[in-house]
Structure formats: C-alpha cells, structure tokens
Amino acid sequence: MVVVALVGAAVWWFGIRDASAASAAPETRTVAASLTTMQKSVSASGTLTPSVQQDVNFEVSGTVTGVPVAVGQAVSVGQTLATVDTLQLTADLLQAKAALASAQAKLADASGTAQIAAAQAQVDVAQSGVDTAQAAMDGATLTAPVAGLLTAVNLEVGDAVGSTSAPSGSGGETTAQFTIVGTDAWQVDVTVSDADVALIEVGDQAEVTLDGATEPVFGTISEIGLLSTSDTGVAAYPVTVAVTGDQEGLHDGVAAEVELVYERRTDVLTVPSLAVTTATDGTTTVQQVGADGETVDVPVTVGETSGNVTEITAGLAEGDEVVLATFTPGTGGTGRQGTQDGGTFPEGGPPEGFDPTQMQGGQTNG
C-alpha cells in the first residue's frame, strides 16, 4: 500500500501536474493601432456645493410685519422676503428732511465767505442724514439679492429685528434670518499640493465624478488660491472648479473626485501597452503577423504611456494590426497548478516520507 501511494503521488507530481501546467499556454489576438486622446491631469477630492449661498438679514431695526415666503420656496432677484413697521423710520426721515430744509434756509441767508462755507457744511451734513433715513426706509422691505432656493427662514411676524436683537444660534453665533442657495450654478472646492499647483491654471478643464454617478460632469478651474490652507506642514492650495456641464440632478454635499486636466492631445496613435516590448538595449518593438502567418518583430518609437495604452510616434500607422498575447491558465486535472517554487501537492502536501529523488525514470522539475 505504501508503494502504491508513492507511485500515485509520483504520477501526479510528474505527470498530471506537468500536463496541467502545459495546458496553460499563451493565446494571441490582434489589435489595431488607433487614434485616441491622451491627457495629463492632477487628481483631487472635494464636495459639491452651490456657487451661490447667501445669508440675508435686515439692516434696520423694527418689528416684523410680514414674511410672505417659506423654506423650500424658490425666489427671484428683488422678491420681497419680509417687511418691518415703518412708523419710527418715517418719523426719522421727516426729521432729517426738516433739518435739511433749515440748513438750506440758513445757507440762502448767509453772507460773507466764512458764513456761506459754514452754512454749506450744515447743508451737507443734513443731506447725509436724509440719505441715511431714506436708506433705512427702503430697508424696511427686505428683498432677495440673488435668485435661488430658500433653505432657511428664521423670522416670524412680531419678531423684533435690529443689530442687537438678531436671533442667535448655539455658542452665541448669529443665525441668518434668510439663507438663499442657488440651484443653477455649482462648484467643487479641492486642495492641490504645491508640486501640482504649478501645473494647472485658471481656465483649465476639469472632469468631476460625483459619488454614485457613472458618468462625469465637466467644469473649469475658476480660482486658484495664492495662500496655502494646509495645517499639516505640507503646502496645499485651494482650487475652485466651476461645474459647466449638465447640472440636472446635482445635490449639495455630494462627494466628488476631480481630475484637473492641464494637458490634452487629440488624435494620438496608440496600441495596448501589453503589445509593446522593450529590450535591454532600449530597442522597442511590437509583433505583427507576416504574409506567411508567422509573427515578426517590428521596431517602433514610443512616446508617453497613459493608463493601459502607449503612444506610437513612428513605425506604425492607424489601423495596423499588432499581436497582443494573453495568458489563459489551464484547468487539466483536479489538483492545483504548479508554482515557481516547484508546485504543491493536493490535499495539503506529499505522503509522509515521500522523497522524489528516490523515484526512477521520472521527469526533472526545476
């Protein structure tokens, strides 16, 4: 039984195993050299945010008399957001106008250079008072400075507003009375290392892939910060990408992977990199199928490599077929394939006491 076991193991080691390895043979196919677009880019990560996000607050004091809008409502430029009572504001404006009229009367009665100059100064001061009071009156109606979606409305009728009565959030921070977010302009803010920021410039194109999306949207670099914002000891600069492509279905806060493209070349002749072979002497070749069906080495000049393709600058033309070798492992036998270490036995190893050197007539395994 021991002899039978040893013979069986030897048959597997030298026969089935080698047959299985032999069945793992390279296969070849031809691929045409084709024109493509090659680009160089800087990668960065960021978050999609609206380009317009503005807080709006009353700059006058008073009691809120109307809030004709609500959270989630779209507003246009100049649309009324809220109003405050104008009783005190009207009184202030009338008083300022009265002071201006008095100053103008004194100026009309003034004689002499010094008297006229003093009266004119009083008129100027009074006119400034009227302008301020009129601006306050105009400010009694708060309007939307930009178009967008109302994401915060923190006022109700009856609330008192003013520099000392604005609502506050946690930590004493002032809470905006209204917040408007634009829905037709988006951007992604990223940071770029000092080594890469020199490669890009405002106006460069960008490809933005949003989390969960299958296709990128496109944009351009709209701003590159001049001061590093990194606190890690390695300089990194803020870069803003304005989204210019299809903006339907975009949402605030979505994570984004960005490629900042600083060089793009079109109509570049390329072949798969696996089809290119470089010898130790630096000679680069591809293989083609000759008229007799045999493969021949064809010298080529290569350029840059991008992804899994290599640029061909000389030696091939568009449409030329090159040989691409692929390796398909064999599946012969039920044991596992051999390795560079000499292979392995099935079921975890050889029978106890097995010594291949004692077998006669077997193949030599390196």
Side-chain angles (χ1 to χ4, degrees):
M1 292 179 64
V2 172
V3 172
V4 172
L6 293 175
V7 171
V11 168
W12 181 88
W13 181 263
F14 296 114
I16 298 176
R17 172 184 175 275
D18 287 344
S20 176
S23 67
E27 298 178 354
T28 60
R29 60 187 177 94
T30 58
V31 178
S34 60
L35 298 179
T36 187
T37 297
M38 297 185 72
Q39 66 183 34
K40 295 180 180 179
S41 62
V42 172
S43 299
S45 300
T47 303
L48 183 70
T49 58
S51 298
V52 174
Q53 186 166 338
Q54 188 162 338
D55 293 338
V56 185
N57 298 289
F58 275 109
E59 295 183 358
V60 298
S61 299
T63 301
V64 177
T65 58
V67 183
V69 294
V71 172
Q73 180 178 335
V75 295
S76 57
V77 176
Q79 183 172 340
T80 298
L81 302 179
T83 56
V84 296
D85 68 276
T86 59
L87 183 61
Q88 183 60 49
L89 297 175
T90 300
D92 292 342
L93 179 58
L94 292 175
Q95 184 177 357
K97 288 182 175 180
L100 175 60
S102 176
Q104 290 172 333
K106 290 181 179 180
L107 176 60
D109 294 337
S111 61
T113 303
Q115 213 174 27
I116 292 175
Q120 182 61 56
Q122 290 180 349
V123 169
D124 293 341
V125 171
Q127 182 62 59
S128 178
V130 170
D131 294 341
T132 300
Q134 184 62 58
M137 177 66 75
D138 296 338
T141 299
L142 187 64
T143 60
V146 294
L149 190 69
L150 279 170
T151 60
V153 175
N154 295 310
L155 280 185
E156 295 180 352
V157 173
D159 287 347
V161 298
S163 59
T164 60
S165 59
S168 297
S170 59
E173 297 179 357
T174 300
T175 301
Q177 294 164 355
F178 298 89
T179 299
I180 302 175
V181 171
T183 56
D184 56 357
W186 298 85
Q187 66 185 40
V188 180
D189 295 320
V190 300
T191 55
V192 176
S193 69
D194 59 345
D196 290 334
V197 75
L199 301 173
I200 61 176
E201 60 184 21
V202 172
D204 283 349
Q205 292 186 340
E207 297 178 2
V208 181
T209 302
L210 302 174
D211 187 24
T214 57
E215 296 293 333
V217 294
F218 300 94
T220 58
I221 298 177
S222 60
E223 185 177 355
I224 300 176
L226 300 178
L227 299 177
S228 172
T229 58
S230 174
D231 56 3
T232 62
V234 179
Y237 297 86
V239 175
T240 301
V241 174
V243 177
T244 58
D246 183 9
Q247 299 184 10
E248 293 184 3
L250 301 187
H251 301 284
D252 185 19
V254 177
E257 297 295 326
V258 182
E259 293 294 326
L260 307 173
V261 181
Y262 60 88
E263 181 180 316
R264 176 179 280 133
R265 293 185 295 138
T266 59
D267 296 333
V268 180
L269 185 65
T270 62
V271 297
S273 298
L274 290 176
V276 181
T277 301
T278 302
T280 55
D281 62 357
T283 303
T284 304
T285 60
V286 296
Q287 287 191 324
Q288 292 185 297
V289 179
D292 57 359
E294 298 294 326
T295 58
V296 294
D297 291 335
V298 177
V300 294
T301 304
V302 299
E304 297 179 350
T305 296
S306 176
N308 58 359
V309 297
T310 296
E311 178 185 8
I312 304 297
T313 59
L316 292 177
E318 182 185 5
D320 287 351
E321 298 279 343
V322 298
V323 176
L324 181 64
T326 58
F327 188 79
T328 304
T331 58
T334 58
R336 291 176 290 177
Q337 292 184 4
T339 68
Q340 294 179 351
D341 294 328
T344 60
F345 280 88
E347 303 301 326
E352 183 178 356
F354 176 74
D355 183 0
T357 62
Q358 296 177 358
M359 301 300 296
Q360 301 297 320
Q363 300 181 36
T364 301
N365 283 271

